[in-house]
Amino acid sequence: MSVSPLLMPANDRFETAGMFAGNVALALDDADTEAALNGFIIALARNQARIDHLEAMGAANDNTRH
């Protein structure tokens, strides 16, 4: 029996072996790599701050609590 494509995880429809085929080595002494990593870390921190803010606002506005 065939499984509906809507019930399959999204990654099951792709050949993942061709997307990532091994280890990636970063040249950490490269200025461009360092700038990219710094930008990525800043983006992660900002994203987490947004999540924390939305959770706090949701808890503050939750009038279903007793």
Side-chain angles (χ1 to χ4, degrees):
M1 178 178 248
S2 175
V3 177
S4 169
L6 296 176
L7 299 176
M8 293 172 43
N11 290 344
D12 285 354
R13 289 179 269 185
F14 298 102
E15 180 59 41
T16 56
M19 292 182 185
F20 182 72
N23 295 330
V24 175
L26 295 175
L28 295 179
D29 57 347
D30 182 25
D32 291 336
T33 301
E34 187 172 340
L37 288 173
N38 287 339
F40 179 71
I41 291 170
I42 291 169
L44 282 177
R46 287 180 177 163
N47 190 49
Q48 187 61 51
R50 287 184 190 106
I51 292 169
D52 293 344
H53 173 74
L54 291 173
E55 287 178 346
M57 295 304 296
N61 294 331
D62 186 5
N63 57 5
T64 62
R65 289 181 165 187
H66 297 287

